[in-house]
Amino acid sequence: MKSALVLLAFLAVSQGLLRIPLRRGKSARQLLEERGLFEEYRRKFPYNPAAKFLPRNEESVVPMTFDPDTTYYGVIGIGTPPQFFKVLFDTGSSDLWVPSIRCTSSACDSHAKFNSSASSTFQADTKTFYISYNSGFAAGSTGYDTIKISDIYVEHQVLGLTETEAAFLGSVPWDGILGLAFPDMSLEGGTPIFDNMWNQGKIPQNIFSIYLSSSVEGSMLILGGTDPSYYTGIINWVPLYHATNFWNIQIQSITINGNTVACSGSCEAVVDSGTSVIIGPSNDINNINGWLGASANEYGDASVSCSNMNLMPDIVFNINGYSFSLPPSAYIMKSASGCRTGFAPGTWILGEVFMRQFYTAFDVSNNMVGFAQAV
Ligand SMILES: *[C@@H]1O[C@H](CO)[C@@H](O)[C@H](O)[C@H]1NC(C)=O
């Protein structure tokens, strides 16, 4: 009887969940390698995924840079009737933007573009937005419209419509970005979409969660709660640390076979679905890569021999008294050009390499992140 009640309660909650299937597209690295352009691109746009977390200067912000390996996207509809876009669901930024038909950059040619004249619910705004990159920038205007996400409609959502985009955006598999970090991070200055969804009563709980599969299909963004079909065991919750704008947590240490190899005496890390790898200060990352028998090239890529994978150790992240263990199958990235580790230099970020192993829940009301072993 008790379990029947628990089951009923669970069904009641899980019924209001919105599920947005994510696809793992071809990464910019793959695309550019195929076209023989990758070396040229990374010389022009050095790999610095952590740049989006650098402090802002007065006139620009740096919410993103060239991360050649982000691949996951889902589809949303903008306007009435909806125009559809592939977006990167990014827990490391807070704005929604897509290309507009006024975009004059070649990067926009390979993407869907929003036509505000074709939407009966679009409201123009006088604000402009400006995103600076390592090299070049993307800029545009803002407006408000209805966003269709899964089966619900979020009304009066601020969004950015780009008119200029940096060249590298032409090779990413998504058209735009949907930010899932906190309102203070927003450079468009409006309420981020997840907050609006909650304020408009569209979801049962102020929580979203992400399951990243290593296959092309099967990944899922769940809005309004968590879904036990994507993890085993329980969710281990971690309070946010010094949290204001980011999904920021404290890591106590990172160990291999009981030896501290990085983050000695604790460190602070951002949980970011918009970063492909795990990033940390170069001393720590060099040390981890050294334990794995890898050394980094000038771009931070640390190559290893694919045949050595089964000899490599688990890497354990000790967080809030829990141990989250990453096996080589999780942290080694295979591509046509060989194997490399999923550890790159910068400031601490737990990106897709971590999130594929651990289903991640983001609890907005309680300022917590939860991790569970992904199925
Ligand atoms: C935008 O939509 C308007 C109204 O439907 C249409 O007349 C116009 O041709 C569209 N522009 C483009 C570039 O598709």
Side-chain angles (χ1 to χ4, degrees), residues 249-255 260-269 280-281 283-285 287-288 316-319 348:
I249 58 171
Q250 189 182 40
I251 302 174
Q252 270 75 51
S253 66
I254 299 172
T255 56
T260 298
V261 294
C263 182
S264 173
S266 87
C267 57
E268 224 176 301
N283 282 350
D284 280 346
I285 292 299
N287 200 35
I288 293 176
V316 181
F317 290 73
N318 301 291
I319 304 171
W348 284 111

PDB file of all heavy atoms in Angstrom, residues 249-255 260-269 280-281 283-285 287-288 316-319 348:
ATOM      1  N   ILE A 249      30.147  24.615  -7.844  1.00  0.00           N
ATOM      2  CA  ILE A 249      30.235  23.736  -6.673  1.00  0.00           C
ATOM      3  C   ILE A 249      31.676  23.662  -6.171  1.00  0.00           C
ATOM      4  O   ILE A 249      32.598  24.067  -6.865  1.00  0.00           O
ATOM      5  CB  ILE A 249      29.741  22.303  -6.980  1.00  0.00           C
ATOM      6  CG1 ILE A 249      30.557  21.696  -8.135  1.00  0.00           C
ATOM      7  CG2 ILE A 249      28.247  22.293  -7.284  1.00  0.00           C
ATOM      8  CD1 ILE A 249      30.284  20.222  -8.355  1.00  0.00           C
ATOM      9  N   GLN A 250      31.829  23.129  -4.953  1.00  0.00           N
ATOM     10  CA  GLN A 250      33.173  22.935  -4.424  1.00  0.00           C
ATOM     11  C   GLN A 250      33.559  21.468  -4.558  1.00  0.00           C
ATOM     12  O   GLN A 250      32.782  20.575  -4.212  1.00  0.00           O
ATOM     13  CB  GLN A 250      33.237  23.349  -2.953  1.00  0.00           C
ATOM     14  CG  GLN A 250      34.664  23.360  -2.423  1.00  0.00           C
ATOM     15  CD  GLN A 250      34.734  23.724  -0.953  1.00  0.00           C
ATOM     16  OE1 GLN A 250      33.917  23.297  -0.152  1.00  0.00           O
ATOM     17  NE2 GLN A 250      35.730  24.515  -0.592  1.00  0.00           N
ATOM     18  N   ILE A 251      34.765  21.229  -5.078  1.00  0.00           N
ATOM     19  CA  ILE A 251      35.331  19.881  -5.134  1.00  0.00           C
ATOM     20  C   ILE A 251      36.372  19.804  -4.029  1.00  0.00           C
ATOM     21  O   ILE A 251      37.197  20.715  -3.895  1.00  0.00           O
ATOM     22  CB  ILE A 251      36.004  19.614  -6.505  1.00  0.00           C
ATOM     23  CG1 ILE A 251      35.000  19.796  -7.655  1.00  0.00           C
ATOM     24  CG2 ILE A 251      36.618  18.221  -6.547  1.00  0.00           C
ATOM     25  CD1 ILE A 251      35.631  19.693  -9.044  1.00  0.00           C
ATOM     26  N   GLN A 252      36.350  18.742  -3.197  1.00  0.00           N
ATOM     27  CA  GLN A 252      37.325  18.650  -2.108  1.00  0.00           C
ATOM     28  C   GLN A 252      38.686  18.213  -2.630  1.00  0.00           C
ATOM     29  O   GLN A 252      39.713  18.727  -2.213  1.00  0.00           O
ATOM     30  CB  GLN A 252      36.846  17.673  -1.019  1.00  0.00           C
ATOM     31  CG  GLN A 252      36.022  18.335   0.068  1.00  0.00           C
ATOM     32  CD  GLN A 252      34.615  18.657  -0.421  1.00  0.00           C
ATOM     33  OE1 GLN A 252      33.943  17.794  -0.961  1.00  0.00           O
ATOM     34  NE2 GLN A 252      34.176  19.888  -0.257  1.00  0.00           N
ATOM     35  N   SER A 253      38.677  17.244  -3.549  1.00  0.00           N
ATOM     36  CA  SER A 253      39.949  16.793  -4.137  1.00  0.00           C
ATOM     37  C   SER A 253      39.658  15.897  -5.330  1.00  0.00           C
ATOM     38  O   SER A 253      38.540  15.412  -5.502  1.00  0.00           O
ATOM     39  CB  SER A 253      40.780  16.009  -3.112  1.00  0.00           C
ATOM     40  OG  SER A 253      40.113  14.808  -2.773  1.00  0.00           O
ATOM     41  N   ILE A 254      40.681  15.691  -6.142  1.00  0.00           N
ATOM     42  CA  ILE A 254      40.595  14.752  -7.267  1.00  0.00           C
ATOM     43  C   ILE A 254      41.712  13.743  -7.065  1.00  0.00           C
ATOM     44  O   ILE A 254      42.879  14.122  -6.872  1.00  0.00           O
ATOM     45  CB  ILE A 254      40.735  15.494  -8.612  1.00  0.00           C
ATOM     46  CG1 ILE A 254      39.590  16.509  -8.757  1.00  0.00           C
ATOM     47  CG2 ILE A 254      40.737  14.506  -9.780  1.00  0.00           C
ATOM     48  CD1 ILE A 254      39.716  17.439  -9.951  1.00  0.00           C
ATOM     49  N   THR A 255      41.366  12.469  -7.041  1.00  0.00           N
ATOM     50  CA  THR A 255      42.340  11.441  -6.678  1.00  0.00           C
ATOM     51  C   THR A 255      42.411  10.319  -7.714  1.00  0.00           C
ATOM     52  O   THR A 255      41.456  10.063  -8.449  1.00  0.00           O
ATOM     53  CB  THR A 255      42.002  10.821  -5.299  1.00  0.00           C
ATOM     54  OG1 THR A 255      40.654  10.317  -5.336  1.00  0.00           O
ATOM     55  CG2 THR A 255      42.098  11.845  -4.177  1.00  0.00           C
ATOM     56  N   THR A 260      46.109  12.227  -4.167  1.00  0.00           N
ATOM     57  CA  THR A 260      45.552  13.478  -4.677  1.00  0.00           C
ATOM     58  C   THR A 260      46.372  13.918  -5.888  1.00  0.00           C
ATOM     59  O   THR A 260      47.590  14.102  -5.792  1.00  0.00           O
ATOM     60  CB  THR A 260      45.581  14.561  -3.589  1.00  0.00           C
ATOM     61  OG1 THR A 260      44.748  14.114  -2.503  1.00  0.00           O
ATOM     62  CG2 THR A 260      45.044  15.890  -4.118  1.00  0.00           C
ATOM     63  N   VAL A 261      45.694  14.065  -7.027  1.00  0.00           N
ATOM     64  CA  VAL A 261      46.407  14.431  -8.262  1.00  0.00           C
ATOM     65  C   VAL A 261      46.059  15.845  -8.723  1.00  0.00           C
ATOM     66  O   VAL A 261      46.728  16.415  -9.584  1.00  0.00           O
ATOM     67  CB  VAL A 261      46.108  13.434  -9.403  1.00  0.00           C
ATOM     68  CG1 VAL A 261      46.675  12.065  -9.066  1.00  0.00           C
ATOM     69  CG2 VAL A 261      44.614  13.345  -9.703  1.00  0.00           C
ATOM     70  N   ALA A 262      44.988  16.409  -8.163  1.00  0.00           N
ATOM     71  CA  ALA A 262      44.574  17.755  -8.559  1.00  0.00           C
ATOM     72  C   ALA A 262      43.612  18.286  -7.502  1.00  0.00           C
ATOM     73  O   ALA A 262      43.077  17.529  -6.701  1.00  0.00           O
ATOM     74  CB  ALA A 262      43.899  17.735  -9.921  1.00  0.00           C
ATOM     75  N   CYS A 263      43.416  19.604  -7.523  1.00  0.00           N
ATOM     76  CA  CYS A 263      42.454  20.231  -6.628  1.00  0.00           C
ATOM     77  C   CYS A 263      42.781  19.921  -5.165  1.00  0.00           C
ATOM     78  O   CYS A 263      41.913  19.642  -4.351  1.00  0.00           O
ATOM     79  CB  CYS A 263      41.037  19.767  -7.011  1.00  0.00           C
ATOM     80  SG  CYS A 263      39.705  20.474  -6.075  1.00  0.00           S
ATOM     81  N   SER A 264      44.066  19.994  -4.849  1.00  0.00           N
ATOM     82  CA  SER A 264      44.531  19.737  -3.493  1.00  0.00           C
ATOM     83  C   SER A 264      44.002  20.838  -2.570  1.00  0.00           C
ATOM     84  O   SER A 264      44.129  22.018  -2.880  1.00  0.00           O
ATOM     85  CB  SER A 264      46.058  19.714  -3.497  1.00  0.00           C
ATOM     86  OG  SER A 264      46.527  19.625  -2.194  1.00  0.00           O
ATOM     87  N   GLY A 265      43.370  20.467  -1.451  1.00  0.00           N
ATOM     88  CA  GLY A 265      42.827  21.463  -0.529  1.00  0.00           C
ATOM     89  C   GLY A 265      41.582  22.157  -1.052  1.00  0.00           C
ATOM     90  O   GLY A 265      41.282  23.269  -0.646  1.00  0.00           O
ATOM     91  N   SER A 266      40.880  21.547  -1.974  1.00  0.00           N
ATOM     92  CA  SER A 266      39.598  21.972  -2.544  1.00  0.00           C
ATOM     93  C   SER A 266      39.708  23.029  -3.638  1.00  0.00           C
ATOM     94  O   SER A 266      40.690  23.784  -3.702  1.00  0.00           O
ATOM     95  CB  SER A 266      38.613  22.447  -1.466  1.00  0.00           C
ATOM     96  OG  SER A 266      38.792  23.810  -1.188  1.00  0.00           O
ATOM     97  N   CYS A 267      38.719  23.033  -4.486  1.00  0.00           N
ATOM     98  CA  CYS A 267      38.653  24.009  -5.577  1.00  0.00           C
ATOM     99  C   CYS A 267      37.182  24.218  -5.947  1.00  0.00           C
ATOM    100  O   CYS A 267      36.305  23.495  -5.475  1.00  0.00           O
ATOM    101  CB  CYS A 267      39.455  23.523  -6.787  1.00  0.00           C
ATOM    102  SG  CYS A 267      38.938  21.915  -7.410  1.00  0.00           S
ATOM    103  N   GLU A 268      36.970  25.206  -6.764  1.00  0.00           N
ATOM    104  CA  GLU A 268      35.619  25.605  -7.137  1.00  0.00           C
ATOM    105  C   GLU A 268      35.418  25.310  -8.611  1.00  0.00           C
ATOM    106  O   GLU A 268      36.270  25.670  -9.425  1.00  0.00           O
ATOM    107  CB  GLU A 268      35.540  27.121  -6.937  1.00  0.00           C
ATOM    108  CG  GLU A 268      34.320  27.620  -6.266  1.00  0.00           C
ATOM    109  CD  GLU A 268      34.440  29.130  -6.047  1.00  0.00           C
ATOM    110  OE1 GLU A 268      35.397  29.553  -5.373  1.00  0.00           O
ATOM    111  OE2 GLU A 268      33.581  29.860  -6.561  1.00  0.00           O
ATOM    112  N   ALA A 269      34.308  24.669  -8.993  1.00  0.00           N
ATOM    113  CA  ALA A 269      34.117  24.295 -10.397  1.00  0.00           C
ATOM    114  C   ALA A 269      32.700  24.642 -10.859  1.00  0.00           C
ATOM    115  O   ALA A 269      31.754  24.574 -10.087  1.00  0.00           O
ATOM    116  CB  ALA A 269      34.357  22.803 -10.585  1.00  0.00           C
ATOM    117  N   GLY A 280      40.646  22.584 -15.962  1.00  0.00           N
ATOM    118  CA  GLY A 280      41.211  22.986 -14.675  1.00  0.00           C
ATOM    119  C   GLY A 280      42.517  23.724 -14.892  1.00  0.00           C
ATOM    120  O   GLY A 280      43.048  23.727 -16.008  1.00  0.00           O
ATOM    121  N   PRO A 281      43.079  24.327 -13.826  1.00  0.00           N
ATOM    122  CA  PRO A 281      44.347  25.049 -13.929  1.00  0.00           C
ATOM    123  C   PRO A 281      45.436  24.150 -14.529  1.00  0.00           C
ATOM    124  O   PRO A 281      45.462  22.946 -14.233  1.00  0.00           O
ATOM    125  CB  PRO A 281      44.680  25.403 -12.480  1.00  0.00           C
ATOM    126  CG  PRO A 281      43.363  25.390 -11.780  1.00  0.00           C
ATOM    127  CD  PRO A 281      42.528  24.342 -12.458  1.00  0.00           C
ATOM    128  N   ASN A 283      48.543  23.428 -14.081  1.00  0.00           N
ATOM    129  CA  ASN A 283      49.344  22.539 -13.223  1.00  0.00           C
ATOM    130  C   ASN A 283      48.588  21.260 -12.885  1.00  0.00           C
ATOM    131  O   ASN A 283      49.123  20.159 -12.963  1.00  0.00           O
ATOM    132  CB  ASN A 283      49.692  23.238 -11.898  1.00  0.00           C
ATOM    133  CG  ASN A 283      50.839  24.219 -12.077  1.00  0.00           C
ATOM    134  OD1 ASN A 283      51.484  24.226 -13.128  1.00  0.00           O
ATOM    135  ND2 ASN A 283      51.068  25.039 -11.059  1.00  0.00           N
ATOM    136  N   ASP A 284      47.341  21.436 -12.469  1.00  0.00           N
ATOM    137  CA  ASP A 284      46.506  20.287 -12.094  1.00  0.00           C
ATOM    138  C   ASP A 284      46.234  19.391 -13.298  1.00  0.00           C
ATOM    139  O   ASP A 284      46.306  18.161 -13.213  1.00  0.00           O
ATOM    140  CB  ASP A 284      45.170  20.779 -11.518  1.00  0.00           C
ATOM    141  CG  ASP A 284      45.301  21.201 -10.058  1.00  0.00           C
ATOM    142  OD1 ASP A 284      46.330  20.864  -9.436  1.00  0.00           O
ATOM    143  OD2 ASP A 284      44.382  21.862  -9.543  1.00  0.00           O
ATOM    144  N   ILE A 285      45.896  20.029 -14.427  1.00  0.00           N
ATOM    145  CA  ILE A 285      45.554  19.251 -15.630  1.00  0.00           C
ATOM    146  C   ILE A 285      46.789  18.515 -16.151  1.00  0.00           C
ATOM    147  O   ILE A 285      46.715  17.333 -16.506  1.00  0.00           O
ATOM    148  CB  ILE A 285      44.953  20.190 -16.716  1.00  0.00           C
ATOM    149  CG1 ILE A 285      43.585  20.709 -16.253  1.00  0.00           C
ATOM    150  CG2 ILE A 285      44.870  19.485 -18.072  1.00  0.00           C
ATOM    151  CD1 ILE A 285      42.524  19.657 -16.005  1.00  0.00           C
ATOM    152  N   ASN A 287      49.219  17.490 -14.387  1.00  0.00           N
ATOM    153  CA  ASN A 287      49.468  16.386 -13.463  1.00  0.00           C
ATOM    154  C   ASN A 287      48.557  15.193 -13.771  1.00  0.00           C
ATOM    155  O   ASN A 287      49.011  14.053 -13.843  1.00  0.00           O
ATOM    156  CB  ASN A 287      49.271  16.876 -12.024  1.00  0.00           C
ATOM    157  CG  ASN A 287      49.958  15.980 -11.027  1.00  0.00           C
ATOM    158  OD1 ASN A 287      51.034  15.440 -11.323  1.00  0.00           O
ATOM    159  ND2 ASN A 287      49.334  15.786  -9.879  1.00  0.00           N
ATOM    160  N   ILE A 288      47.254  15.460 -13.971  1.00  0.00           N
ATOM    161  CA  ILE A 288      46.322  14.373 -14.323  1.00  0.00           C
ATOM    162  C   ILE A 288      46.761  13.722 -15.631  1.00  0.00           C
ATOM    163  O   ILE A 288      46.893  12.495 -15.721  1.00  0.00           O
ATOM    164  CB  ILE A 288      44.870  14.909 -14.471  1.00  0.00           C
ATOM    165  CG1 ILE A 288      44.340  15.377 -13.115  1.00  0.00           C
ATOM    166  CG2 ILE A 288      43.962  13.810 -15.047  1.00  0.00           C
ATOM    167  CD1 ILE A 288      42.948  16.017 -13.185  1.00  0.00           C
ATOM    168  N   VAL A 316      38.882  10.000  -9.541  1.00  0.00           N
ATOM    169  CA  VAL A 316      37.792  10.165  -8.584  1.00  0.00           C
ATOM    170  C   VAL A 316      37.657  11.626  -8.157  1.00  0.00           C
ATOM    171  O   VAL A 316      38.625  12.243  -7.706  1.00  0.00           O
ATOM    172  CB  VAL A 316      38.016   9.264  -7.343  1.00  0.00           C
ATOM    173  CG1 VAL A 316      36.865   9.421  -6.352  1.00  0.00           C
ATOM    174  CG2 VAL A 316      38.165   7.812  -7.772  1.00  0.00           C
ATOM    175  N   PHE A 317      36.457  12.150  -8.337  1.00  0.00           N
ATOM    176  CA  PHE A 317      36.130  13.512  -7.906  1.00  0.00           C
ATOM    177  C   PHE A 317      35.427  13.408  -6.561  1.00  0.00           C
ATOM    178  O   PHE A 317      34.344  12.826  -6.465  1.00  0.00           O
ATOM    179  CB  PHE A 317      35.228  14.192  -8.941  1.00  0.00           C
ATOM    180  CG  PHE A 317      35.938  14.503 -10.228  1.00  0.00           C
ATOM    181  CD1 PHE A 317      36.274  13.489 -11.117  1.00  0.00           C
ATOM    182  CD2 PHE A 317      36.288  15.810 -10.537  1.00  0.00           C
ATOM    183  CE1 PHE A 317      36.964  13.769 -12.293  1.00  0.00           C
ATOM    184  CE2 PHE A 317      36.973  16.100 -11.715  1.00  0.00           C
ATOM    185  CZ  PHE A 317      37.312  15.078 -12.590  1.00  0.00           C
ATOM    186  N   ASN A 318      36.050  13.962  -5.514  1.00  0.00           N
ATOM    187  CA  ASN A 318      35.461  13.912  -4.173  1.00  0.00           C
ATOM    188  C   ASN A 318      34.717  15.219  -3.921  1.00  0.00           C
ATOM    189  O   ASN A 318      35.330  16.278  -3.835  1.00  0.00           O
ATOM    190  CB  ASN A 318      36.562  13.673  -3.148  1.00  0.00           C
ATOM    191  CG  ASN A 318      37.303  12.369  -3.438  1.00  0.00           C
ATOM    192  OD1 ASN A 318      36.740  11.289  -3.285  1.00  0.00           O
ATOM    193  ND2 ASN A 318      38.532  12.465  -3.912  1.00  0.00           N
ATOM    194  N   ILE A 319      33.379  15.086  -3.868  1.00  0.00           N
ATOM    195  CA  ILE A 319      32.534  16.282  -3.796  1.00  0.00           C
ATOM    196  C   ILE A 319      31.492  16.098  -2.693  1.00  0.00           C
ATOM    197  O   ILE A 319      30.719  15.136  -2.734  1.00  0.00           O
ATOM    198  CB  ILE A 319      31.804  16.525  -5.154  1.00  0.00           C
ATOM    199  CG1 ILE A 319      32.818  16.629  -6.315  1.00  0.00           C
ATOM    200  CG2 ILE A 319      30.934  17.775  -5.089  1.00  0.00           C
ATOM    201  CD1 ILE A 319      32.185  16.649  -7.699  1.00  0.00           C
ATOM    202  N   TRP A 348      38.409  25.704 -13.413  1.00  0.00           N
ATOM    203  CA  TRP A 348      37.676  24.444 -13.246  1.00  0.00           C
ATOM    204  C   TRP A 348      36.262  24.480 -13.826  1.00  0.00           C
ATOM    205  O   TRP A 348      35.433  25.305 -13.444  1.00  0.00           O
ATOM    206  CB  TRP A 348      37.589  24.052 -11.769  1.00  0.00           C
ATOM    207  CG  TRP A 348      38.864  23.489 -11.226  1.00  0.00           C
ATOM    208  CD1 TRP A 348      39.684  24.077 -10.303  1.00  0.00           C
ATOM    209  CD2 TRP A 348      39.469  22.245 -11.588  1.00  0.00           C
ATOM    210  NE1 TRP A 348      40.769  23.260 -10.075  1.00  0.00           N
ATOM    211  CE2 TRP A 348      40.675  22.134 -10.846  1.00  0.00           C
ATOM    212  CE3 TRP A 348      39.132  21.211 -12.470  1.00  0.00           C
ATOM    213  CZ2 TRP A 348      41.526  21.029 -10.946  1.00  0.00           C
ATOM    214  CZ3 TRP A 348      39.985  20.113 -12.573  1.00  0.00           C
ATOM    215  CH2 TRP A 348      41.155  20.026 -11.821  1.00  0.00           C
TER     216      TRP A 348
END
